[in-house]
Amino acid sequence: MIQPGEKIPQEVLEQLQEANKRFSKHKKFQLYLQDLRNIFKITPVAVSTESKLYLAGFIGGEGLLNVSAKKQDSAAMGLVLDPEFSITQHMNGVGTLYLALEVFQTGRLSYKAQSNATLVFRIDNRQSLQEKVLPYIRNYVFPYCSEALKIRVVQFQNLLNLFDQKAHLRFDSFTNEILPIWHAMRKQIGQSNQTLPDLISAQNYVRDFLKKKNNFKS
């Protein structure tokens, strides 16, 4: 536990970084959980219906389904869209993030850069999002969540389905189906760090990218 305004000790951040590096190499999730328990002094938890419902209430307020975009010349369309599910919490609430790891049996814990003591639980593997996150949200979160979140889940599901159909590799479907969902789900409209200001700019960027790369003509 740390006091309000205090930063996570550098030693803890380094241990978390090393744990994530080891996990990237050995891919053994149970060893990763053990590392996290040791770092944050967490008592092992037994996942139950009650704990799933507790997490569901937390996700209803703190969980985020997001789709980020970044320019990348090696990408088929010049843009990479990354769907992810995340929960952000102060280090003193790391037990809840650890519970999410136990419930989903996937994901990763990381430090939120430039914060004092904020940690992020994140799942960005599309198969895990389809097979673990969305079914859980429908079963446990939907009965209690807002209509806005339900709409966002449907948008997110549609996006993942399009990825499964390889729509991100086809110009028409990427610009006319995937990008509109990305635009509808954006949280950073008008912010200085946004990749592209609006849907039309994103569609034009892809069109210009392909013209330059392949002499593409729409």
Side-chain angles (χ1 to χ4, degrees):
M1 298 290 289
I2 62 176
Q3 297 302 311
E6 288 185 350
K7 294 184 177 181
I8 298 177
Q10 186 61 34
E11 178 184 2
V12 172
L13 293 179
E14 291 173 357
Q15 290 173 350
L16 178 59
Q17 187 177 40
E18 287 302 314
N20 282 325
K21 286 181 180 178
R22 286 193 294 272
F23 182 42
S24 296
K25 292 180 180 179
H26 60 58
K27 303 296 184 183
K28 296 178 180 178
F29 192 69
Q30 294 307 314
L31 291 180
Y32 181 57
L33 291 181
Q34 182 177 324
D35 278 344
L36 295 179
R37 289 197 298 269
N38 292 337
I39 293 169
F40 296 103
K41 308 297 187 278
I42 297 172
T43 302
V45 298
V47 175
S48 63
T49 299
E50 289 75 14
S51 61
K52 288 181 179 180
L53 289 170
Y54 167 80
L55 183 64
F58 198 84
I59 289 172
E62 302 292 336
L64 177 63
L65 293 170
N66 192 40
V67 187
S68 62
K70 61 182 177 182
K71 297 176 182 179
Q72 185 172 302
D73 289 343
S74 60
M77 300 294 156
L79 282 178
V80 174
L81 300 187
D82 290 319
E84 72 169 30
F85 167 68
S86 64
I87 308 172
T88 302
Q89 185 70 188
H90 187 276
M91 176 180 158
N92 290 348
V94 67
T96 300
L97 301 184
Y98 180 80
L99 174 61
L101 286 159
E102 287 278 16
V103 167
F104 292 111
Q105 286 295 297
T106 189
R108 188 172 297 218
L109 204 62
S110 61
Y111 164 68
K112 184 177 181 180
Q114 300 180 343
S115 71
N116 281 342
T118 302
L119 297 172
V120 182
F121 163 75
R122 179 179 288 111
I123 297 176
D124 57 12
N125 178 274
R126 293 202 297 268
Q127 183 176 352
S128 294
L129 292 169
Q130 280 274 36
E131 297 178 359
K132 296 183 177 183
V133 174
L134 291 182
Y136 173 88
I137 290 177
R138 289 197 180 89
N139 288 334
Y140 292 96
V141 182
F142 264 23
Y144 314 102
C145 74
S146 66
E147 287 301 317
L149 179 56
K150 291 180 180 179
I151 292 172
R152 196 167 181 84
V153 168
V154 171
Q155 293 171 325
F156 199 78
Q157 178 74 77
N158 291 339
L159 180 72
L160 293 178
N161 290 344
L162 287 168
F163 272 102
D164 288 346
Q165 297 162 16
K166 307 298 182 184
H168 58 296
L169 301 178
R170 302 187 297 272
F171 171 76
D172 286 341
S173 53
F174 186 81
T175 55
N176 297 320
E177 296 180 74
I178 289 181
L179 284 181
I181 296 177
W182 159 77
H183 179 67
M185 296 189 70
R186 283 201 307 157
K187 294 285 191 178
Q188 295 183 339
I189 296 176
Q191 297 185 18
S192 60
N193 61 342
Q194 64 186 10
T195 300
L196 293 157
D198 52 44
L199 175 59
I200 294 177
S201 297
Q203 292 170 326
N204 288 340
Y205 177 84
V206 172
R207 184 177 290 105
D208 292 342
F209 172 84
L210 291 176
K211 285 180 178 179
K212 292 177 182 178
K213 184 178 180 180
N214 304 317
N215 195 27
F216 177 87
K217 295 182 179 180
S218 58

